Amino acid sequence: METITITMKNQPALYLEADCVSPDAFAGMTAAQIAELSVYEGNVTGTLGKYFDVTGSAGTTAADTKIIVRGDVKKVKYLGMKMSAGEMVIEGDADMYVGAWMTGGKILAKGSVDAFAATAMKGGELTIEGNAGNYLGAAYRGDWRGMSGGKISVKGNAGSDIGMYMLGGEIVINGNIDVHVATHAEGGKVVIKGDAKSKVGGQMVEGDIYIFGSIDIMMPGFKPAGEVELEVEGTKGKFAHFIGDMGERHKKKKGQVIYANLYKKI
Amino acid sequence: MSEYVIKNGHVFDPVQGIKGDKAEVAIKDGKIVEKAGSGAKVIDAKGMTVMAGAVEIHAHIAGPKVNLGRIYRPEDKLFTCTPTKGMERMGSGNSIPSTFKTGYEYAKMGYTTCMEAAMPPMFSRHVHEEIRDTPIIDEGAFPVFGNNWFVMEYLKNHEVENTAAYIAWMLRATKGYAVKVVNPGGTEAWAWGLNCLTVNDPVPYFDITPAEIVKGLIEANEYLGLPHSMHIHPNNLGNPGCYETTLDTLKLAEGMKANNKFGRESVMHLTHTQFHSYGGTNWGDFESKAKEVTDYVNKNRNITIDTGNVTLDETTTMTADGPFEHHLTGLNHLKWANVDVELETAAGVVPYIYSPNISVCAIQWAIGLEIPLMMKDPMRCYITTDHPNAGPFTRYPRVFKWLMSTKAREEQINAFKHKDKVLTQTSIGSLDREISLYELAQMTRAGPAKSLGLGNMCGGLKPGMDADVAIYNFNPEKPVANPDDIEKAFTRCAFTFKSGVEVVRNGEIVSTGHKRTLWVNAKIKDNPQVVRDINEKFLKYYSMTQANYESLGHHFVPNPFAIEVDAT
Ligand SMILES: [Zn+2]
């Protein structure tokens, strides 16, 4: 695997849209060619090289390419957007849409990321060592197709509306989360090791939520369905089982109505 | 104005009966002329296909429900934005493109005249503001009448003359072009939680049936002598077995004769026929009844139709058939928006994905192609996608490919997950007809222009007609190596001329021309009763005054082209 490193040298005055920063776009290019790729600051089109030093070289395919993003990229959006393979390490905090629409490969964000990370993600792995913003693994605005595959792990906390319209895949949050989890979801698995607030699983059709900590206010559409022993993410324990959202439509499989499951650790 | 002479091209013009001969087309002062002057700019169309600008008879491209679709579907704009480029302003949207993108895309495909198929009268101002902002193409809009309180009250007593006077007032007030009917009575019934699924279901409170509304509107249309016929989306759209309602609706035109000075022979235009040609009793035994419907239309010369081809895309359905959209959201569980328009109509919007892996969608695709392939007279059958309902209008070149090439159809049939079901439930597999370029010109130019009463103005290349010309990079003398070449050639014109102005060159916009709004100014005898009824309804029921209702002046209709009708 070849490594290419981009290092912030000139901070943009506005936010920088850099959807070209992905192993797919870099594959087969020299550092000089990569520096010529287009990025957008407001309505001005510039080159990646205007803002970043580009060193190293990319592999021949996305799978052979690793990107290291250095420096302060708090004002850079769309890092790793639509990536299908390869690796990316973001050493500092990043702005919105990290790994949005990604279908494969691995992203490691060593800092925190802002909202809409892994929007409509289909595959691959996104690991965030800091905190994640709102709408992690959610659907794009207006869309009904959220995250459908892959895995997102967050060591810190996450914001609100994570896993909205989730269809598949996995989200694991080590810390706490804000309101609205897996709203409208029709599949997938969300594990919250810390505390949740309210609107957990609202209008959820199918899928599983595991909460290790507290829930401030339960949704009225979830009803108790007993207690179960489970092993979740390496932790064994007893969970209270709820099914819902009773106000939503639900599929039937072999005559059985399929509800979404909410497991709350006792 | 510039003069042009288009040389060496293969001309297809049903108006003059030219079937691919090399003929010169000369343009002067915005019109087609016998001969251009010696200083005329020469366009070399060697190895190319030359046709009149195409005419769109039914699309939803302007107004509140289109914009509702734009507003509530930001995901339709995702990755489909087009940046500013040369003459072009930025655009966005795929199934519901922004106004500017709409004008550009039509012109790039060689379309120069387009009809917005459903204008809610109370929101005509919004419709016209969007038409104004849609560059290049001439546009007209059809106000909807099929659930209108005035119409139902007059026709309950068979007052055709009063209905006609009301239509004339409405066309003037809204700058409308034709009489559109959507699910007659059914949309009003829905306000009472009901629907009209046959032509004989009574409309609650109004004590009238869809059959009476349809017949009365045809009579009023012909009383006025409007350029277009009554244009109908019948009851029971989109349900298995709906073809029977369709045939019952078509039969309402029996014995009716066209009365107009525009050369139109039809009294009824059946729109998006595909959605109305379904047999079966449920989605499991769903089947094509294209043969039954086209057999009837083939025999009855006073009917014209358009197809409503399913393009197998993700799109946005939108119709004044409010109950249908409510039914649809129950089937696909996608988001639903609805608008009620007081006294007049309603509309609903739901996204839809026509997936080649779903048997119903594949059968719908086949029905949409069977209809034009089964129609004997291409002058009475026009290609549409009921944009955006069965697919975006930008897919027309793909529909042309399927119609012009059995190979292209076979490739698609083989790609369907439920290929066998498509072949048993439809007869698409046994149709080997390939639509010729001449027939295509009939179905997309001369035919729709004639049905709209514009046959003397557009849809042909006869001297004296508007100089709307489309030149495609398609050589009719060469065998088609790959059907995709057809789609490619019709997607981007080599040249498009609109009213004698070169608007597209090499597939790029080079001028935004001077688009016009087409509307019909029908003069009638004074009718104090209808004037009184209108005043009374505004005082009693409407939430706005009459002065705020009408589309008047430069802001709404900056470049009007009124077609005059005298019914005094
Ligand atoms: Zn329509």
Side-chain angles (χ1 to χ4, degrees):
Chain A
M1 180 171 270
E2 306 267 348
T3 301
I4 190 115
T5 304
I6 66 167
T7 309
M8 176 61 79
K9 62 177 178 190
N10 293 315
Q11 273 292 334
L14 305 172
Y15 283 82
L16 192 70
E17 298 179 27
D19 57 359
C20 65
V21 180
S22 86
D24 297 75
F26 285 7
M29 285 187 174
T30 63
Q33 286 170 322
I34 290 167
E36 287 302 310
L37 291 170
S38 294
V39 293
Y40 310 93
E41 186 181 355
N43 63 359
V44 177
T45 304
T47 62
L48 191 64
K50 181 179 162 190
Y51 302 93
F52 289 92
D53 271 327
V54 183
T55 58
S57 56
T60 48
T61 64
D64 293 332
T65 302
K66 177 174 179 175
I67 302 171
I68 297 173
V69 182
R70 287 210 168 120
D72 180 0
V73 288
K74 273 198 207 77
K75 287 168 83 175
V76 181
K77 296 176 197 288
Y78 299 111
L79 293 170
M81 175 167 141
K82 290 187 179 174
M83 77 182 259
S84 69
E87 287 180 36
M88 179 182 289
V89 177
I90 305 166
E91 296 193 339
D93 297 347
D95 196 50
M96 298 196 284
Y97 291 104
V98 168
W101 297 282
M102 74 185 278
T103 59
K106 288 181 186 174
I107 299 179
L108 171 62
K110 293 193 161 181
S112 295
V113 301
D114 209 322
F116 301 108
T119 291
M121 175 177 184
K122 284 191 172 158
E125 285 174 42
L126 170 61
T127 305
I128 298 158
E129 295 193 337
N131 301 322
N134 302 334
Y135 293 98
L136 177 71
Y140 181 70
R141 285 280 191 239
D143 210 322
W144 57 90
R145 292 158 290 201
M147 175 181 188
S148 58
K151 182 166 182 179
I152 302 171
S153 312
V154 181
K155 286 210 176 130
N157 303 321
S160 69
D161 298 280
I162 67 169
M164 185 188 73
Y165 279 111
M166 194 169 176
L167 301 170
E170 235 180 290
I171 300 177
V172 180
I173 313 286
N174 223 28
N176 307 321
I177 50 156
D178 209 327
V179 297
H180 292 285
V181 189
T183 310
H184 291 290
E186 295 202 26
K189 173 181 169 186
V190 180
V191 180
I192 312 296
K193 296 200 171 172
D195 298 334
K197 288 185 174 168
S198 64
K199 316 277 165 51
V200 178
Q203 295 194 282
M204 202 171 168
V205 178
E206 217 180 316
D208 306 304
I209 301 177
Y210 302 83
I211 311 275
F212 285 34
S214 60
I215 298 175
D216 282 0
I217 305 166
M218 274 290 284
M219 287 293 293
F222 278 78
K223 87 175 184 196
E227 289 177 7
V228 279
E229 282 290 340
L230 294 170
E231 186 179 337
V232 183
E233 291 290 311
T235 305
K236 272 193 188 161
K238 211 177 210 184
F239 288 76
H241 182 203
F242 299 85
I243 54 171
D245 182 329
M246 292 299 159
E248 263 302 318
R249 71 193 155 83
H250 295 281
K251 265 186 265 176
K252 267 189 180 174
K253 271 179 204 157
K254 293 177 187 154
Q256 283 269 302
V257 180
I258 309 297
Y259 292 102
N261 299 298
L262 169 58
Y263 300 95
K264 159 97 179 50
K265 196 157 178 287
I266 301 166
Chain B
M1 264 177 118
S2 304
E3 287 184 49
Y4 294 91
V5 56
I6 300 159
K7 288 189 171 169
N8 308 318
H10 298 275
V11 176
F12 294 86
D13 180 19
V15 172
Q16 299 175 96
I18 305 174
K19 299 186 173 179
D21 302 340
K22 282 189 186 171
E24 273 186 18
V25 177
I27 296 172
K28 188 184 176 184
D29 297 334
K31 300 279 180 193
I32 306 284
V33 291
E34 292 284 357
K35 243 187 160 42
S38 55
K41 194 176 161 195
V42 176
I43 304 283
D44 185 9
K46 189 169 188 296
M48 295 185 187
T49 293
V50 180
M51 293 184 184
V55 179
E56 167 70 89
I57 199 165
H58 186 113
H60 303 275
I61 45 179
K65 83 177 154 357
V66 180
N67 212 40
L68 179 61
R70 293 189 189 109
I71 291 165
Y72 102 138
R73 286 210 67 196
E75 74 280 9
D76 188 66
K77 300 175 190 73
L78 182 65
F79 308 132
T80 61
C81 291
T82 41
T84 304
K85 186 179 172 194
M87 292 288 303
E88 284 183 50
R89 294 170 60 142
M90 65 85 69
S92 71
N94 186 45
S95 65
I96 19 174
S98 55
T99 53
F100 286 91
K101 193 173 179 182
T102 299
Y104 302 145
E105 287 291 330
Y106 267 119
K108 287 176 180 180
M109 297 192 304
Y111 279 72
T112 47
T113 306
C114 299
M115 293 294 162
E116 157 55 48
M119 168 158 70
M122 201 172 93
F123 297 127
S124 68
R125 289 181 167 196
H126 181 166
V127 174
H128 284 293
E129 283 175 320
E130 287 200 19
I131 286 178
R132 182 196 65 193
D133 284 348
T134 306
I136 305 174
I137 53 175
D138 283 350
E139 272 177 288
F142 305 161
V144 288
F145 286 96
N147 293 279
N148 180 296
W149 290 13
F150 292 87
V151 168
M152 289 189 287
E153 283 170 5
Y154 291 139
L155 289 179
K156 168 162 71 181
N157 304 317
H158 199 69
E159 294 168 17
V160 172
E161 213 174 309
N162 286 343
T163 306
Y166 175 71
I167 290 169
W169 172 82
M170 181 66 92
L171 293 177
R172 199 159 44 244
T174 65
K175 298 293 169 289
Y177 189 85
V179 175
K180 173 71 185 300
V181 182
V182 178
N183 188 2
T187 301
E188 175 59 30
W190 194 51
W192 306 78
L194 302 164
N195 197 352
C196 296
L197 294 174
T198 79
V199 297
N200 297 317
D201 287 2
V203 185
Y205 182 76
F206 285 92
D207 192 26
I208 190 170
T209 63
E212 290 167 311
I213 297 172
V214 171
K215 284 181 97 155
L217 284 172
I218 295 176
E219 287 174 47
N221 197 95
E222 301 313 318
Y223 174 94
L224 290 168
L226 299 178
H228 189 30
S229 66
M230 193 263 328
H231 185 119
I232 189 166
H233 152 157
N235 305 95
N236 205 11
L237 170 141
N239 290 320
C242 67
Y243 84 104
E244 293 189 35
T245 311
T246 308
L247 291 175
D248 288 342
T249 304
L250 294 173
K251 283 174 192 157
L252 299 171
E254 252 165 40
M256 304 252 205
K257 272 209 172 66
N259 165 46
N260 65 95
K261 61 174 186 184
F262 302 97
R264 164 175 62 83
E265 292 170 63
S266 50
V267 297
M268 180 189 278
H269 178 82
L270 168 66
T271 189
H272 36 70
T273 307
Q274 178 270 128
F275 286 127
H276 303 282
S277 302
Y278 302 161
T281 56
N282 59 58
W283 297 114
D285 66 5
F286 182 68
E287 61 177 340
S288 170
K289 290 288 176 185
K291 177 147 186 2
E292 285 73 2
V293 173
T294 52
D295 275 354
Y296 185 87
V297 179
N298 276 327
K299 277 190 231 125
N300 290 275
R301 294 201 51 83
N302 63 351
I303 296 166
T304 60
I305 64 172
D306 67 79
T307 54
N309 285 96
V310 164
T311 64
L312 304 170
D313 287 290
E314 176 180 327
T315 191
T316 313
T317 67
M318 50 180 63
T319 168
D321 194 340
F324 172 75
E325 292 290 1
H326 182 249
H327 174 66
L328 192 64
T329 190
L331 287 176
N332 76 358
H333 309 303
L334 298 184
K335 54 188 172 179
W336 168 60
N338 182 71
V339 197
D340 175 62
V341 183
E342 55 193 47
L343 286 78
E344 297 178 345
T345 180
V349 187
V350 175
Y352 202 82
I353 302 168
Y354 290 96
S355 165
N357 297 330
I358 296 175
S359 68
V360 169
C361 300
I363 293 166
Q364 289 176 306
W365 170 86
I367 296 171
L369 296 172
E370 283 179 303
I371 291 161
L373 294 171
M374 288 173 170
M375 277 295 294
K376 291 189 177 136
D377 181 2
M379 284 296 285
R380 292 198 289 123
C381 174
Y382 320 127
I383 309 304
T384 67
T385 59
D386 186 22
H387 165 87
N389 285 304
F393 70 83
T394 45
R395 286 289 194 226
Y396 281 155
R398 187 165 292 179
V399 176
F400 301 163
K401 173 183 78 174
W402 286 323
L403 289 173
M404 290 170 68
S405 162
T406 49
K407 191 177 159 202
R409 293 201 290 274
E410 271 163 27
E411 279 172 12
Q412 183 56 59
I413 292 167
N414 288 330
F416 284 132
K417 190 172 172 189
H418 304 280
K419 174 189 171 182
D420 295 341
K421 190 140 195 196
V422 175
L423 294 175
T424 58
Q425 303 306 92
T426 77
S427 47
I428 191 70
S430 61
L431 293 169
D432 55 7
R433 182 173 170 191
E434 292 187 330
I435 298 296
S436 68
L437 287 166
Y438 187 77
E439 288 170 325
L440 188 72
Q442 290 177 301
M443 290 177 161
T444 56
R445 275 91 174 153
K450 183 177 174 183
S451 178
L452 289 166
L454 295 171
N456 296 319
M457 188 170 107
C458 60
L461 296 169
K462 199 174 164 185
M465 295 176 80
D466 284 356
D468 300 339
V469 188
I471 306 175
Y472 298 104
N473 229 323
F474 187 79
N475 189 339
E477 286 189 331
K478 278 198 184 153
V480 178
N482 180 348
D484 291 344
D485 295 344
I486 301 172
E487 182 175 341
K488 194 166 164 245
F490 283 91
T491 299
R492 291 289 176 257
C493 279
F495 298 90
T496 306
F497 290 87
K498 162 70 181 52
S499 299
V501 177
E502 187 184 350
V503 290
V504 174
R505 189 189 309 148
N506 287 331
E508 308 266 348
I509 302 295
V510 291
S511 164
T512 48
H514 34 69
K515 77 121 6 78
R516 298 178 299 184
T517 305
L518 310 179
W519 72 282
V520 175
N521 187 20
K523 289 192 190 67
I524 47 152
K525 285 191 233 77
D526 284 346
N527 189 323
Q529 189 199 329
V530 170
V531 172
R532 196 177 59 235
D533 290 346
I534 291 168
N535 289 339
E536 190 195 279
K537 282 272 196 302
F538 271 99
L539 287 172
K540 226 170 149 179
Y541 296 117
Y542 271 109
S543 63
M544 61 165 72
T545 67
Q546 210 176 323
N548 288 327
Y549 184 92
E550 298 184 25
S551 285
L552 299 169
H554 187 264
H555 177 79
F556 296 106
V557 192
N559 199 4
F561 183 86
I563 292 168
E564 304 288 338
V565 167
D566 192 347
T568 53

